[in-house]
Amino acid sequence: MSPAARALPALILGAVLIGLAPIFVRLVEVGPSAAAFWRLALALPLLGLLLAARSGDRDGAGPGGSLRSLRWLWLAGLFFAGDLAVWHQSIEFTSVANATLLANMAPVFVTLAAWLLYGERISRGFALGLALALAGAACLVADSLSVSRQTAFGDLLGVLAAMFYAGYIIGVSRQRRVFDTAQVMFWTTAAGVLVTLPLALALGETIWPTSARDWALLVGLALLSHVGGQGLIAYALAHLPAAFSSVSLLVQPVAATLFAWLLLAEVFGPLQALGGGIVLGGILLCRLAMLRPAGVMTAKSPPG
């Protein structure tokens, strides 16, 4: 199977693995920004080893970027750190349902950016699939959604988290034309480490884990959700349009809902099952639209 043929299965598996992240974050007894720091810091040594040991197969990347062009990877890493930190903080000011739904609005911002900045054409079928997938995501959390003045600030943080993640997806998608997966993961993770630790300290959070259980949860968060999940997503972004990839990542809230049901005994009823089915239907519709000549395609090259 060619790298391009492996891209969509890798993207879906990556989304499932990052669906475990909310479970780890909820169970571990450190602050939310501290959890983001450990997610990145514990992953960094392994990513460094993978970077040093990578072969000549650049998994879809170009000839490799200069040190100067690494600034774009650092920027993507800062966007990712912002997404983690802001989303975790949004949970403190609004409901988990609101924060989850709003943070998963990233496909809207990615699609708009792909159209406005890079001239990617968006067909009606793709737009319909995106709307359908977002409606399915809303069904997943409909039982707990709330709208009030008290949640407004947290809701705003949720939208900001979606914008940060959209910036990360767009940045990685463009830089995967130059850098391979190992380079992207190492440098974006390193940038995130430098942001999340000062933030956790500034917020006065509990940073140091106090039990073997907490360490195990953080290692799971780092290895499964970050190295595994984000690594597979970074791999796939070299071969799939950013807009379609961001829609496909709505598998993540479906997976998170299932994991919460299996591991935390949270509710998973007919409405959640319906929402999951609608999300998958929306992703399929986007995929079919992308495969047609009028679907999503790059109309012009990115600026050099």
Side-chain angles (χ1 to χ4, degrees), residues 33-34 37 81 85 190-205 207:
S33 297
F37 162 71
V193 167
L194 296 179
V195 173
T196 50
L197 179 57
L199 180 61
L201 290 170
L203 294 172
E205 294 182 358
I207 295 176

Side-chain angles (χ1 to χ4, degrees), residues 34 39 68 77 87 101 137 143 179 210 239 264 266:
R39 167 181 178 159
R68 183 181 178 185
W87 182 72
L101 177 62
D143 288 340
F179 297 98
T210 58
H239 308 285
L264 302 178
E266 293 192 0

Side-chain angles (χ1 to χ4, degrees), residues 2-4 6-7 10-11 51 54-65 69-70 72-73 76 118 167-188 229-242 245 302:
S2 67
R6 292 195 295 264
L11 185 72
L51 180 62
R54 77 190 193 283
S55 66
D57 180 10
R58 302 187 61 79
D59 59 39
S69 60
L70 284 175
W72 298 112
L73 291 185
Y118 302 110
Y168 170 76
I169 292 294
I170 287 288
V172 170
S173 176
R174 310 315 288 190
Q175 293 309 304
R176 279 292 282 117
R177 302 180 178 195
V178 180
F179 297 98
D180 61 29
T181 303
Q183 291 172 309
V184 165
M185 287 299 296
F186 179 82
W187 292 111
T188 56
Q230 291 298 148
L232 287 168
I233 291 166
Y235 168 82
L237 282 170
H239 308 285
L240 295 170
S245 298

Side-chain angles (χ1 to χ4, degrees), residues 128-177:
L128 179 60
L130 170 58
L132 192 63
L134 290 172
C139 285
L140 286 170
V141 297
D143 288 340
S144 304
L145 282 176
S146 60
V147 179
S148 68
R149 291 183 180 179
Q150 288 72 27
T151 65
F153 180 65
D155 294 342
L156 181 61
L157 291 178
V159 174
L160 184 59
M163 296 176 71
F164 274 129
Y165 196 60
Y168 170 76
I169 292 294
I170 287 288
V172 170
S173 176
R174 310 315 288 190
Q175 293 309 304
R176 279 292 282 117
R177 302 180 178 195

Side-chain angles (χ1 to χ4, degrees), residues 13-257:
L13 179 56
V16 170
L17 289 175
I18 63 174
L20 283 167
I23 309 299
F24 289 124
V25 172
R26 179 173 296 183
L27 292 175
V28 72
E29 294 184 5
V30 299
S33 297
F37 162 71
W38 287 115
R39 167 181 178 159
L40 302 174
L42 293 175
L44 195 60
L46 177 57
L47 293 172
L49 290 174
L50 293 174
L51 180 62
R54 77 190 193 283
S55 66
D57 180 10
R58 302 187 61 79
D59 59 39
S66 65
L67 289 176
R68 183 181 178 185
S69 60
L70 284 175
R71 69 185 187 275
W72 298 112
L73 291 185
W74 283 89
L75 180 60
L78 295 179
F79 276 129
F80 185 67
D83 164 59
L84 293 179
V86 173
W87 182 72
H88 289 172
Q89 292 300 322
S90 72
I91 296 174
E92 301 294 321
F93 296 97
T94 188
S95 68
V96 173
N98 286 28
T100 300
L101 177 62
L102 293 171
N104 279 287
M105 295 293 289
V108 175
F109 298 112
V110 172
T111 301
L112 287 173
W115 173 52
L116 292 172
L117 299 178
Y118 302 110
E120 292 187 6
R121 296 167 53 195
I122 310 300
S123 70
R124 291 181 180 178
F126 186 90
L128 179 60
L130 170 58
L132 192 63
L134 290 172
C139 285
L140 286 170
V141 297
D143 288 340
S144 304
L145 282 176
S146 60
V147 179
S148 68
R149 291 183 180 179
Q150 288 72 27
T151 65
F153 180 65
D155 294 342
L156 181 61
L157 291 178
V159 174
L160 184 59
M163 296 176 71
F164 274 129
Y165 196 60
Y168 170 76
I169 292 294
I170 287 288
V172 170
S173 176
R174 310 315 288 190
Q175 293 309 304
R176 279 292 282 117
R177 302 180 178 195
V178 180
F179 297 98
D180 61 29
T181 303
Q183 291 172 309
V184 165
M185 287 299 296
F186 179 82
W187 292 111
T188 56
T189 300
V193 167
L194 296 179
V195 173
T196 50
L197 179 57
L199 180 61
L201 290 170
L203 294 172
E205 294 182 358
T206 299
I207 295 176
W208 196 260
T210 58
S211 68
R213 172 182 174 274
D214 285 341
W215 281 113
L217 289 169
L218 290 170
V219 169
L221 178 63
L223 298 185
L224 292 176
S225 295
H226 193 69
V227 176
Q230 291 298 148
L232 287 168
I233 291 166
Y235 168 82
L237 282 170
H239 308 285
L240 295 170
F244 172 73
S245 298
S246 66
V247 176
S248 299
L249 290 178
L250 287 171
V251 168
Q252 182 263 330
V254 179
T257 303

